[in-house]
Amino acid sequence: MSQVKEDLICEIIRLSQTNLLDKKCANQNRETQEQIAVEWVRKNAADYRSDFQSRLSAFPASKLGEILKTLSNSGKDLNDILEGV
């Protein structure tokens, strides 16, 4: 896999995790947001990353660019975008 494609996948996963945590933490106070985020990262981040790395590696770089753009503009996470794919 090319370095550009690997970098795209890493950025997609990072942004997806950020969007997912933003949704999970919405309408919570600052302390609760931090607790939710830390707990999610501790229990789920590694599996989330490895699952989506393998799923995204099948896509060409052009499609990865589209996914990154969608994540950036929509606040969605990869579960929302790749549903049914």
Side-chain angles (χ1 to χ4, degrees), residues 30-75:
R30 186 74 165 149
E31 186 177 314
T32 303
Q33 288 177 347
E34 288 179 18
Q35 290 172 347
I36 291 169
V38 168
E39 189 68 15
W40 187 89
V41 168
R42 190 174 65 75
K43 291 182 177 179
N44 302 300
D47 289 338
Y48 188 94
R49 178 167 291 282
S50 63
D51 176 50
F52 281 114
Q53 279 177 329
S54 63
R55 290 176 66 186
L56 292 170
S57 65
F59 291 103
S62 59
K63 180 64 175 172
L64 293 173
E66 291 173 22
I67 291 170
L68 182 59
K69 184 177 178 180
T70 300
L71 288 170
S72 297
N73 296 328
S74 69

Side-chain angles (χ1 to χ4, degrees), residues 7-25:
D7 290 346
L8 272 170
I9 290 172
C10 287
E11 182 60 16
I12 287 167
I13 292 170
R14 184 202 64 76
L15 185 54
S16 177
Q17 287 175 327
T18 300
N19 290 349
L20 178 66
L21 288 171
D22 284 348
K23 286 190 285 189
K24 287 186 175 295
C25 295

